Amino acid sequence: LLTAPLAGAADNAQKDLAQAQDKVNEELKAARSKANEIIEQAHQRANQLIDAAKADAIAEGNRQKALAEAEIE
């Protein structure tokens, strides 16, 4: 059997391990949260780019249409 000092050291090691595991879990939670923020920002930026491309395409279509109409007249 373990002697008293060894049992105390084992208890301390178990406590340290539990604290380390808690710290890891906290850090993982924070990292996941930050990753989700970054992903959401990327989605928002992608939607902005798509909207801008749509607006540019509509403007170009209108310009081409006006040129075609001018040629017809």
Side-chain angles (χ1 to χ4, degrees):
L1 295 176
L2 294 174
T3 60
L6 289 178
D11 287 343
N12 287 340
Q14 285 292 341
K15 288 177 187 174
D16 290 346
L17 176 60
Q19 288 174 346
Q21 287 172 332
D22 288 344
K23 179 73 171 166
V24 166
N25 289 336
E26 289 174 20
E27 292 294 325
L28 282 173
K29 185 177 179 181
R32 285 186 185 110
S33 176
K34 184 64 176 173
N36 285 334
E37 283 180 36
I38 292 168
I39 290 167
E40 180 58 31
Q41 289 172 353
H43 286 306
Q44 289 175 357
R45 182 64 180 135
N47 288 335
Q48 289 173 347
L49 292 172
I50 290 168
D51 290 343
K54 285 179 185 177
D56 289 347
I58 290 169
E60 179 61 17
N62 290 338
R63 189 184 73 79
Q64 293 289 333
K65 180 181 174 186
L67 286 174
E69 287 174 346
E71 282 185 23
I72 293 172
E73 295 175 0

